[in-house]
């Protein structure tokens, strides 16, 4: 008797998983309904029953990467919660560097992505930040994590890369630039990230908004 293999049914989760696999290997520009259909072995039109358009796929990719950021541990301080979320988001972005442009240009749109926003805002509000201050803290934290990750990990085409020739500059005119040029090869961008994160946390701790917790 001939054995048949039952095809796994299409779902939003399966489509987004395939989309992330394509983006990881080929970049965001490779995403299209036709390309996804080929990867999944189905007609492109069948995808529309689960994702209405390409924008929904990009929003779903945003959500899928955020899903790798674990929930904050119960009982910790707001400083620890924010620091761990920032570190976990950077790790997820480092794992999927081709998705970085999404985080630099798109907002959280899907309920799954917005749940992460809700969790951070709740942490800040409970710590005593006003709604406006909590929003500002969230925005600057995201800008730092995404911006630093972009500068650290965003892939560039070979013909778009720039390599400044610091050593060719006059050491008399640029003595400090020459100093840093000597340590660039051994410079640790992860330690640099932690330095910036610690400075940001220190600034948030100094904010008067954290005077006392907000009652729920």
């Amino acid at each position: 008797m001939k054995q048949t293999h039952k095809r796994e049914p299409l779902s939003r989760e399966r489509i987004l998983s395939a989309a992330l696999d394509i983006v990881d290997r080929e970049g965001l520009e490779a995403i299209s309904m036709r390309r996804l259909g080929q990867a999944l072995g189905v007609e492109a039109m069948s995808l529309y029953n689960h994702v209405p358009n390409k924008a929904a796929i990009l929003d779903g990719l945003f959500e899928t990467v955020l899903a790798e950021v674990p929930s904050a541990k119960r009982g910790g301080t707001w400083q620890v919660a924010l620091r761990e979320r920032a570190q976990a988001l950077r790790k997820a972005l480092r794992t999927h560097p081709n998705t970085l442009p999404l985080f630099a240009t798109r907002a959280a749109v899907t309920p799954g992505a917005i749940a992460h926003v809700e969790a951070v805002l709740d942490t800040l509000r409970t710590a005593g930040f006003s709604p406006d201050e909590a929003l500002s803290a969230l925005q600057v934290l995201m800008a730092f994590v995404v911006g630093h990750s972009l500068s650290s990990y965003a892939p560039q085409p070979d013909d778009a890369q720039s390599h400044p020739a610091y050593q060719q500059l006059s050491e008399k005119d640029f003595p400090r630039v020459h100093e840093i040029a000597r340590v660039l090869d051994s410079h640790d961008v992860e330690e640099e990230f932690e330095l910036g994160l610690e400075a940001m946390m220190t600034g948030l701790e100094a904010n008067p908004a954290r005077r006392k917790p907000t009652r729920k």
Side-chain angles (χ1 to χ4, degrees):
M1 179 180 290
K2 185 178 179 180
Q3 187 175 7
T4 60
H5 296 280
K6 187 176 181 182
R7 177 183 293 178
E8 183 182 352
L10 272 183
S11 65
R12 179 176 179 269
E13 291 72 21
R14 186 180 170 211
I15 292 170
L16 293 179
S17 177
L20 184 58
D21 184 58
I22 292 171
V23 170
D24 282 343
R25 290 185 285 105
E26 304 174 33
L28 282 168
E29 63 278 2
I31 284 294
S32 68
M33 290 299 200
R34 177 175 295 181
R35 178 71 181 83
L36 266 173
Q38 291 172 346
L40 291 164
V42 299
E43 293 294 328
M45 289 301 297
S46 63
L47 302 177
Y48 289 96
N49 294 320
H50 306 277
V51 285
N53 48 43
K54 182 176 178 178
I57 293 173
L58 297 179
D59 291 335
L61 285 170
F62 190 108
E63 174 189 331
T64 302
V65 174
L66 273 185
E68 297 184 12
V69 177
S71 300
K73 299 173 184 176
R74 292 185 176 275
T77 65
W78 66 267
Q79 294 95 328
V80 168
L82 289 190
R83 186 179 287 107
E84 289 182 348
R85 276 190 173 271
Q87 292 166 336
L89 175 58
R90 181 173 172 83
K91 180 180 178 181
L93 295 175
R94 184 170 65 241
T95 302
H96 307 287
N98 286 335
T99 67
L100 274 161
L102 294 178
F103 287 82
T105 59
R106 302 177 82 84
V109 172
T110 67
I114 295 173
H116 289 267
V117 176
E118 174 70 19
V120 174
L121 291 175
D122 182 64
T123 296
L124 290 163
R125 289 287 289 124
T126 302
F129 288 78
S130 72
D132 191 59
E133 289 162 337
L135 175 60
S136 293
L138 170 64
Q139 296 279 49
V140 297
L141 186 63
M142 279 293 295
F144 171 67
V145 175
V146 174
H148 198 281
S149 298
L150 269 169
S151 68
S152 301
Y153 310 128
Q156 290 187 0
D158 291 338
D159 60 356
Q161 294 187 24
S162 177
H163 302 284
Y166 296 129
Q167 299 290 5
Q168 295 179 18
L169 296 171
S170 165
E171 190 163 2
K172 178 181 178 182
D173 295 333
F174 302 98
R176 301 308 182 195
V177 172
H178 269 264
E179 286 178 349
I180 65 100
R182 296 185 187 104
V183 301
L184 275 177
D185 289 342
S186 61
H187 184 67
D188 190 333
V189 294
E190 301 308 322
E191 290 184 3
E192 178 184 283
F193 173 78
E194 292 297 332
L195 174 67
L197 181 59
E198 192 59 36
M200 182 168 292
M201 296 305 302
T202 299
L204 291 176
E205 288 173 5
N207 192 315
R210 72 179 189 89
R211 285 190 302 267
K212 56 184 180 180
T214 299
R215 294 182 179 177
K216 291 188 175 182

